[in-house]
Short mmCIF file of all heavy atoms in Angstrom, two decimals:
data_model
loop_
_atom_site.label_atom_id
_atom_site.label_comp_id
_atom_site.label_asym_id
_atom_site.label_seq_id
_atom_site.Cartn_x
_atom_site.Cartn_y
_atom_site.Cartn_z
N GLY A 296 -23.78 19.23 2.07
CA GLY A 296 -24.26 20.45 2.61
C GLY A 296 -23.19 21.50 2.94
O GLY A 296 -23.50 22.52 3.56
N SER A 297 -21.94 21.25 2.54
CA SER A 297 -20.91 22.28 2.72
C SER A 297 -19.83 22.21 1.58
O SER A 297 -19.80 21.25 0.89
CB SER A 297 -20.19 22.13 4.10
OG SER A 297 -19.16 21.23 3.99
N PHE A 298 -19.04 23.26 1.53
CA PHE A 298 -17.98 23.30 0.55
C PHE A 298 -16.94 22.17 0.61
O PHE A 298 -16.21 21.90 -0.28
CB PHE A 298 -17.24 24.63 0.57
CG PHE A 298 -16.20 24.69 1.70
CD1 PHE A 298 -14.94 24.25 1.47
CD2 PHE A 298 -16.51 25.34 2.90
CE1 PHE A 298 -13.95 24.28 2.51
CE2 PHE A 298 -15.52 25.39 3.91
CZ PHE A 298 -14.29 24.87 3.69
N LYS A 299 -16.94 21.49 1.80
CA LYS A 299 -15.93 20.55 2.04
C LYS A 299 -15.89 19.38 0.98
O LYS A 299 -14.87 18.84 0.72
CB LYS A 299 -16.12 19.83 3.42
CG LYS A 299 -15.98 20.81 4.60
CD LYS A 299 -14.55 21.34 4.76
CE LYS A 299 -14.19 21.96 6.16
NZ LYS A 299 -15.03 23.07 6.57
N SER A 322 -12.62 16.98 13.01
CA SER A 322 -13.63 17.84 12.39
C SER A 322 -14.39 18.70 13.40
O SER A 322 -14.70 18.23 14.49
CB SER A 322 -14.67 17.03 11.57
OG SER A 322 -15.55 17.83 10.91
N THR A 323 -14.80 19.93 13.01
CA THR A 323 -15.78 20.67 13.75
C THR A 323 -17.17 20.23 13.25
O THR A 323 -18.21 20.76 13.66
CB THR A 323 -15.61 22.21 13.53
OG1 THR A 323 -15.81 22.54 12.15
CG2 THR A 323 -14.25 22.67 14.01
N GLY A 324 -17.22 19.31 12.29
CA GLY A 324 -18.48 18.76 11.83
C GLY A 324 -18.65 18.59 10.38
O GLY A 324 -18.97 17.48 9.89
N ASN A 325 -18.29 19.57 9.56
CA ASN A 325 -18.50 19.49 8.11
C ASN A 325 -17.52 18.56 7.39
O ASN A 325 -17.95 17.89 6.48
CB ASN A 325 -18.56 20.84 7.48
CG ASN A 325 -19.84 21.55 7.74
OD1 ASN A 325 -20.87 20.93 7.91
ND2 ASN A 325 -19.93 22.89 7.73
N THR A 326 -16.29 18.54 7.88
CA THR A 326 -15.33 17.64 7.20
C THR A 326 -15.71 16.19 7.47
O THR A 326 -15.70 15.38 6.55
CB THR A 326 -13.89 17.90 7.79
OG1 THR A 326 -13.59 19.32 7.54
CG2 THR A 326 -12.87 17.05 7.08
N LYS A 355 -24.52 18.25 11.69
CA LYS A 355 -23.31 17.67 11.21
C LYS A 355 -23.00 16.33 11.91
O LYS A 355 -22.63 15.38 11.22
CB LYS A 355 -22.16 18.69 11.50
CG LYS A 355 -22.40 20.06 10.92
CD LYS A 355 -21.29 21.04 11.30
CE LYS A 355 -21.68 22.44 10.84
NZ LYS A 355 -20.68 23.45 11.13
N PHE A 373 -11.46 21.13 18.72
CA PHE A 373 -11.03 20.70 17.40
C PHE A 373 -9.51 20.50 17.36
O PHE A 373 -8.98 19.57 16.80
CB PHE A 373 -11.51 21.66 16.28
CG PHE A 373 -10.80 21.34 14.98
CD1 PHE A 373 -11.28 20.37 14.16
CD2 PHE A 373 -9.68 21.98 14.67
CE1 PHE A 373 -10.66 20.03 13.01
CE2 PHE A 373 -9.01 21.71 13.40
CZ PHE A 373 -9.46 20.71 12.61
N SER A 394 -7.58 19.29 6.13
CA SER A 394 -7.01 20.20 5.10
C SER A 394 -5.44 20.32 5.16
O SER A 394 -4.83 21.05 4.42
CB SER A 394 -7.68 21.48 5.13
OG SER A 394 -7.50 22.17 6.33
N ARG A 399 -6.78 18.03 -0.83
CA ARG A 399 -8.04 18.67 -0.50
C ARG A 399 -8.09 20.07 -1.11
O ARG A 399 -9.01 20.54 -1.70
CB ARG A 399 -8.22 18.77 0.98
CG ARG A 399 -8.93 17.51 1.55
CD ARG A 399 -10.08 17.71 2.42
NE ARG A 399 -10.54 19.00 2.77
CZ ARG A 399 -10.77 19.37 4.03
NH1 ARG A 399 -10.49 18.58 5.06
NH2 ARG A 399 -11.18 20.65 4.33
N LEU A 400 -6.98 20.79 -0.94
CA LEU A 400 -6.88 22.20 -1.41
C LEU A 400 -7.01 22.25 -2.91
O LEU A 400 -7.62 23.13 -3.53
CB LEU A 400 -5.66 22.82 -0.94
CG LEU A 400 -5.39 22.83 0.59
CD1 LEU A 400 -4.39 23.95 0.95
CD2 LEU A 400 -6.70 23.02 1.38
N GLN A 403 -10.59 22.26 -3.70
CA GLN A 403 -11.24 23.43 -3.31
C GLN A 403 -10.97 24.67 -4.25
O GLN A 403 -11.71 25.62 -4.22
CB GLN A 403 -10.93 23.77 -1.83
CG GLN A 403 -11.67 22.82 -0.93
CD GLN A 403 -11.22 22.83 0.52
OE1 GLN A 403 -11.29 21.79 1.19
NE2 GLN A 403 -10.78 24.01 1.06
N VAL A 424 -14.25 35.39 2.35
CA VAL A 424 -14.40 34.06 2.80
C VAL A 424 -14.16 33.94 4.31
O VAL A 424 -13.31 34.64 4.84
CB VAL A 424 -13.44 33.13 2.02
CG1 VAL A 424 -11.99 33.51 2.19
CG2 VAL A 424 -13.60 31.66 2.31
N PRO A 425 -14.93 33.13 5.03
CA PRO A 425 -14.62 32.94 6.46
C PRO A 425 -13.35 32.17 6.55
O PRO A 425 -13.00 31.30 5.76
CB PRO A 425 -15.80 32.15 6.94
CG PRO A 425 -16.46 31.49 5.78
CD PRO A 425 -16.12 32.33 4.59
N GLY A 426 -12.59 32.41 7.66
CA GLY A 426 -11.35 31.72 7.90
C GLY A 426 -11.34 30.87 9.13
O GLY A 426 -11.60 31.42 10.28
N GLY A 427 -11.12 29.60 9.03
CA GLY A 427 -11.03 28.69 10.16
C GLY A 427 -9.58 28.10 10.15
O GLY A 427 -8.62 28.67 10.63
N ASN A 428 -9.49 26.84 9.53
CA ASN A 428 -8.19 26.23 9.34
C ASN A 428 -7.46 26.88 8.15
O ASN A 428 -6.38 26.45 7.83
CB ASN A 428 -8.34 24.74 9.23
CG ASN A 428 -7.82 24.03 10.47
OD1 ASN A 428 -6.87 24.51 11.09
ND2 ASN A 428 -8.51 22.94 10.84
N LEU A 429 -8.12 27.67 7.40
CA LEU A 429 -7.51 28.52 6.35
C LEU A 429 -7.24 27.64 5.07
O LEU A 429 -6.41 28.03 4.24
CB LEU A 429 -6.32 29.20 6.77
CG LEU A 429 -6.54 30.12 8.01
CD1 LEU A 429 -5.23 30.79 8.48
CD2 LEU A 429 -7.62 31.14 7.75
N GLY A 430 -7.93 26.51 4.96
CA GLY A 430 -7.73 25.68 3.75
C GLY A 430 -8.37 26.40 2.51
O GLY A 430 -7.71 26.42 1.42
N ASN A 431 -9.52 26.89 2.68
CA ASN A 431 -10.22 27.52 1.60
C ASN A 431 -9.45 28.76 1.06
O ASN A 431 -9.17 28.80 -0.12
CB ASN A 431 -11.63 27.93 2.00
CG ASN A 431 -12.73 27.31 1.19
OD1 ASN A 431 -12.50 26.48 0.32
ND2 ASN A 431 -13.94 27.60 1.55
N SER A 432 -9.12 29.63 1.95
CA SER A 432 -8.44 30.81 1.52
C SER A 432 -7.14 30.50 0.83
O SER A 432 -6.72 31.09 -0.16
CB SER A 432 -8.22 31.79 2.70
OG SER A 432 -7.82 31.07 3.85
N SER A 433 -6.38 29.44 1.37
CA SER A 433 -5.14 29.05 0.78
C SER A 433 -5.40 28.50 -0.63
O SER A 433 -4.67 28.78 -1.58
CB SER A 433 -4.51 27.93 1.61
OG SER A 433 -4.22 28.39 2.89
N ALA A 434 -6.41 27.68 -0.76
CA ALA A 434 -6.73 27.12 -2.10
C ALA A 434 -7.12 28.23 -3.08
O ALA A 434 -6.73 28.16 -4.30
CB ALA A 434 -7.92 26.07 -1.99
N PHE A 435 -7.84 29.21 -2.65
CA PHE A 435 -8.29 30.27 -3.54
C PHE A 435 -7.04 31.05 -4.07
O PHE A 435 -6.95 31.38 -5.28
CB PHE A 435 -9.25 31.23 -2.88
CG PHE A 435 -10.52 30.66 -2.39
CD1 PHE A 435 -11.44 31.39 -1.65
CD2 PHE A 435 -10.86 29.31 -2.71
CE1 PHE A 435 -12.66 30.80 -1.26
CE2 PHE A 435 -12.10 28.75 -2.31
CZ PHE A 435 -12.97 29.51 -1.53
N VAL A 456 -10.26 37.59 4.33
CA VAL A 456 -10.53 36.44 5.17
C VAL A 456 -11.09 36.98 6.46
O VAL A 456 -10.53 37.88 7.06
CB VAL A 456 -9.23 35.62 5.41
CG1 VAL A 456 -9.46 34.43 6.23
CG2 VAL A 456 -8.53 35.28 4.11
N ILE A 457 -12.22 36.35 6.85
CA ILE A 457 -12.93 36.86 8.02
C ILE A 457 -12.93 35.88 9.20
O ILE A 457 -13.33 34.70 9.06
CB ILE A 457 -14.41 37.17 7.72
CG1 ILE A 457 -14.46 38.02 6.36
CG2 ILE A 457 -15.06 37.92 8.82
CD1 ILE A 457 -13.80 39.34 6.40
N ASN A 458 -12.32 36.30 10.29
CA ASN A 458 -12.33 35.52 11.53
C ASN A 458 -13.50 35.94 12.35
O ASN A 458 -14.02 37.02 12.29
CB ASN A 458 -11.05 35.88 12.37
CG ASN A 458 -9.80 35.03 12.00
OD1 ASN A 458 -8.73 35.39 12.38
ND2 ASN A 458 -9.99 34.01 11.21
N ALA A 504 -19.95 30.40 15.83
CA ALA A 504 -19.69 29.92 14.48
C ALA A 504 -18.73 28.71 14.58
O ALA A 504 -17.53 28.84 14.35
CB ALA A 504 -19.10 31.03 13.60
N SER A 505 -19.25 27.58 14.92
CA SER A 505 -18.40 26.47 15.38
C SER A 505 -17.45 25.99 14.29
O SER A 505 -16.32 25.50 14.50
CB SER A 505 -19.22 25.28 15.86
OG SER A 505 -20.15 24.92 14.84
N ALA A 506 -17.77 26.19 13.02
CA ALA A 506 -16.94 25.71 11.92
C ALA A 506 -15.64 26.52 11.85
O ALA A 506 -14.62 26.11 11.18
CB ALA A 506 -17.68 25.80 10.59
N ILE A 507 -15.54 27.63 12.44
CA ILE A 507 -14.28 28.43 12.42
C ILE A 507 -13.75 28.62 13.84
O ILE A 507 -13.00 29.57 14.09
CB ILE A 507 -14.51 29.79 11.70
CG1 ILE A 507 -15.66 30.60 12.24
CG2 ILE A 507 -14.68 29.54 10.18
CD1 ILE A 507 -15.78 31.99 11.59
N GLU A 508 -14.18 27.78 14.73
CA GLU A 508 -13.68 27.88 16.11
C GLU A 508 -12.41 27.14 16.25
O GLU A 508 -12.34 25.98 16.70
CB GLU A 508 -14.74 27.31 17.12
CG GLU A 508 -14.44 27.64 18.52
CD GLU A 508 -15.42 26.92 19.48
OE1 GLU A 508 -15.52 25.68 19.46
OE2 GLU A 508 -16.16 27.63 20.20
N ILE A 509 -11.30 27.77 15.87
CA ILE A 509 -9.95 27.11 15.75
C ILE A 509 -8.92 28.00 16.33
O ILE A 509 -8.89 29.23 16.12
CB ILE A 509 -9.77 26.78 14.26
CG1 ILE A 509 -10.57 25.55 13.94
CG2 ILE A 509 -8.28 26.59 13.92
CD1 ILE A 509 -10.84 25.31 12.51
N PRO A 512 -4.68 27.63 13.23
CA PRO A 512 -5.07 27.23 11.84
C PRO A 512 -3.87 26.58 11.14
O PRO A 512 -2.76 27.15 10.97
CB PRO A 512 -5.40 28.58 11.20
CG PRO A 512 -4.84 29.66 12.15
CD PRO A 512 -4.70 29.06 13.48
N VAL A 513 -4.13 25.30 10.68
CA VAL A 513 -3.03 24.51 10.14
C VAL A 513 -2.49 25.03 8.85
O VAL A 513 -1.31 24.85 8.55
CB VAL A 513 -3.39 23.02 9.97
CG1 VAL A 513 -3.66 22.35 11.26
CG2 VAL A 513 -4.58 22.84 9.06
N ASN A 514 -3.31 25.77 8.09
CA ASN A 514 -2.81 26.30 6.80
C ASN A 514 -2.35 27.76 6.90
O ASN A 514 -2.38 28.47 5.85
CB ASN A 514 -3.87 26.16 5.74
CG ASN A 514 -4.10 24.68 5.35
OD1 ASN A 514 -3.20 24.05 4.73
ND2 ASN A 514 -5.25 24.16 5.64
N GLU A 552 -25.15 28.59 7.30
CA GLU A 552 -24.83 28.38 8.74
C GLU A 552 -24.02 29.59 9.23
O GLU A 552 -23.56 30.45 8.51
CB GLU A 552 -24.16 27.06 8.94
CG GLU A 552 -22.73 26.95 8.36
CD GLU A 552 -21.99 25.70 8.85
OE1 GLU A 552 -21.45 25.74 9.97
OE2 GLU A 552 -21.98 24.72 8.12
N PRO A 553 -23.91 29.70 10.61
CA PRO A 553 -23.30 30.87 11.21
C PRO A 553 -21.85 31.26 10.59
O PRO A 553 -21.60 32.38 10.18
CB PRO A 553 -23.17 30.56 12.63
CG PRO A 553 -24.34 29.69 12.97
CD PRO A 553 -24.45 28.81 11.71
N ALA A 554 -21.00 30.19 10.46
CA ALA A 554 -19.61 30.56 10.00
C ALA A 554 -19.64 31.20 8.67
O ALA A 554 -18.84 32.11 8.35
CB ALA A 554 -18.74 29.23 9.94
N SER A 555 -20.57 30.74 7.78
CA SER A 555 -20.65 31.31 6.43
C SER A 555 -21.01 32.81 6.43
O SER A 555 -20.53 33.60 5.65
CB SER A 555 -21.74 30.62 5.62
OG SER A 555 -21.64 29.19 5.77
N ALA A 556 -21.88 33.13 7.41
CA ALA A 556 -22.40 34.51 7.48
C ALA A 556 -21.28 35.49 7.95
O ALA A 556 -21.40 36.69 7.70
CB ALA A 556 -23.57 34.56 8.43
N ILE A 580 -18.45 33.84 -0.04
CA ILE A 580 -18.61 32.41 -0.08
C ILE A 580 -19.45 31.92 1.06
O ILE A 580 -19.07 32.06 2.24
CB ILE A 580 -17.20 31.69 -0.01
CG1 ILE A 580 -16.20 32.35 -1.01
CG2 ILE A 580 -17.34 30.18 -0.29
CD1 ILE A 580 -16.66 32.40 -2.46
N LEU A 581 -20.60 31.33 0.74
CA LEU A 581 -21.48 30.80 1.78
C LEU A 581 -21.13 29.35 1.89
O LEU A 581 -21.53 28.52 1.11
CB LEU A 581 -22.94 30.99 1.44
CG LEU A 581 -23.37 32.51 1.36
CD1 LEU A 581 -24.90 32.55 1.17
CD2 LEU A 581 -23.03 33.24 2.62
N THR A 582 -20.29 29.07 2.88
CA THR A 582 -19.66 27.76 3.01
C THR A 582 -20.46 26.61 3.41
O THR A 582 -20.17 25.42 3.05
CB THR A 582 -18.44 27.93 4.05
OG1 THR A 582 -18.99 28.55 5.14
CG2 THR A 582 -17.34 28.74 3.48
N GLY A 583 -21.52 26.85 4.13
CA GLY A 583 -22.38 25.68 4.67
C GLY A 583 -23.83 26.00 4.64
O GLY A 583 -24.30 27.15 4.75
N HIS A 584 -24.65 24.97 4.59
CA HIS A 584 -26.14 25.02 4.53
C HIS A 584 -26.75 25.51 5.81
O HIS A 584 -26.31 25.20 6.90
CB HIS A 584 -26.62 23.67 4.20
CG HIS A 584 -28.03 23.66 3.57
ND1 HIS A 584 -29.14 23.80 4.34
CD2 HIS A 584 -28.46 23.52 2.30
CE1 HIS A 584 -30.24 23.81 3.53
NE2 HIS A 584 -29.78 23.59 2.34
N LYS A 587 -27.52 23.00 8.73
CA LYS A 587 -26.45 22.36 9.51
C LYS A 587 -26.57 22.65 10.96
O LYS A 587 -26.21 21.89 11.90
CB LYS A 587 -25.10 22.93 9.06
CG LYS A 587 -24.65 22.44 7.67
CD LYS A 587 -24.12 21.05 7.77
CE LYS A 587 -23.46 20.64 6.44
NZ LYS A 587 -22.85 19.34 6.58
C1 PLP B 383 -14.64 24.24 7.30
C2 PLP B 383 -15.53 25.42 7.30
C3 PLP B 383 -15.10 26.70 7.36
C4 PLP B 383 -13.63 27.05 7.48
O1 PLP B 383 -12.92 26.82 6.32
P1 PLP B 383 -11.32 26.68 6.38
O2 PLP B 383 -10.92 26.23 5.04
O3 PLP B 383 -11.03 25.74 7.47
O4 PLP B 383 -10.80 28.03 6.68
C5 PLP B 383 -16.01 27.74 7.19
N1 PLP B 383 -17.34 27.52 7.08
C6 PLP B 383 -17.78 26.24 7.09
C7 PLP B 383 -19.29 26.07 7.00
C8 PLP B 383 -16.96 25.14 7.13
O5 PLP B 383 -17.43 23.94 7.12
#
Side-chain angles (χ1 to χ4, degrees):
S297 86
F298 79 83
K299 298 292 198 301
S322 182
T323 61
N325 281 334
T326 302
K355 308 177 186 182
F373 169 82
S394 61
R399 273 228 0 231
L400 305 200
Q403 287 169 212
V424 61
N428 251 326
L429 307 177
N431 240 359
S432 43
S433 299
F435 296 174
V456 183
I457 312 299
N458 273 169
S505 55
I507 52 174
E508 192 185 59
I509 281 159
V513 291
N514 288 295
E552 66 168 279
S555 317
I580 312 302
L581 297 186
T582 45
H584 200 282
K587 289 282 190 174

